[in-house]
Amino acid sequence: SQWPADQKKDACMTIRGNHVTILDLELARTFLAPLQHQLAANARPHVPATASPAGEGWRAQAAKKKAKQEAISLDCDKDFDQEIRDRLDIIELALRAQLAEAASFGRNAHSSSGIIGRDEHSMTTAAKHQFLEPISTITPDRARCMQRGR
């Protein structure tokens, strides 16, 4: 809309992007009045938010989720600890044989192959390289198949 000629004033209003600066109070009132009426006509009634009942808010839900994750983590840690102990027990046999080989014959045995039995060696290899199944469920035959990619 056009401003009445008597309300036009030089350098009383500047517009930069979305920012409007009006230096004249009367000009500001004239400019803002239609906006106020439009906003009041389109305004929706404000519905105040109510707090959640105790124990059902977002903080309580986050605390419950964290406690559940920690409980699962503790169970996994117990399972992981047992799995690690099982694998170390299997690997220990090969390490002892390799150390004995070095001490007895002065040779550095890079592998337990030929020092321990075929089944023990395949289980040692599985304990070090196969992690998709618990080591307690793997048989020596299964360990050889896994080593060959079957």
Side-chain angles (χ1 to χ4, degrees):
S1 66
Q2 295 289 326
W3 293 100
D6 61 335
Q7 291 185 358
K8 287 187 180 179
K9 298 185 179 183
D10 293 330
C12 289
M13 183 168 77
T14 58
I15 300 173
R16 291 193 179 118
N18 293 338
H19 185 77
V20 177
T21 304
I22 302 174
L23 301 174
D24 183 270
L25 182 61
E26 287 302 315
L27 184 60
R29 285 185 181 145
T30 305
F31 179 76
L32 292 176
L35 293 175
Q36 278 181 316
H37 294 298
Q38 186 66 30
L39 288 172
N42 293 334
R44 295 183 186 155
H46 175 69
V47 179
T50 58
S52 300
E56 294 181 19
W58 69 269
R59 286 187 183 97
Q61 295 299 323
K64 286 177 190 175
K65 183 177 178 182
K66 184 177 180 181
K68 184 178 178 182
Q69 288 172 341
E70 287 174 355
I72 291 170
S73 176
L74 290 175
D75 289 343
C76 289
D77 288 347
K78 289 177 188 173
D79 293 343
F80 287 156
D81 288 345
Q82 184 59 48
E83 181 69 14
I84 289 169
R85 279 193 296 279
D86 292 346
R87 288 173 183 270
L88 289 175
D89 289 344
I90 293 169
I91 295 168
E92 181 181 13
L93 174 67
L95 289 175
R96 288 187 182 281
Q98 287 172 276
L99 286 169
E101 180 80 8
S104 298
F105 302 107
R107 290 188 299 225
N108 189 13
H110 293 284
S111 171
S112 61
S113 177
I115 302 172
I116 59 175
R118 178 175 166 235
D119 289 348
E120 289 84 6
H121 179 70
S122 63
M123 288 301 293
T124 299
T125 303
K128 290 189 263 183
H129 299 287
Q130 301 296 333
F131 299 101
L132 296 178
E133 299 176 29
I135 197 67
S136 60
T137 65
I138 299 174
T139 63
D141 287 336
R142 175 79 178 119
R144 279 189 282 282
C145 287
M146 293 168 85
Q147 189 174 0
R148 293 182 189 117
R150 295 188 222 154

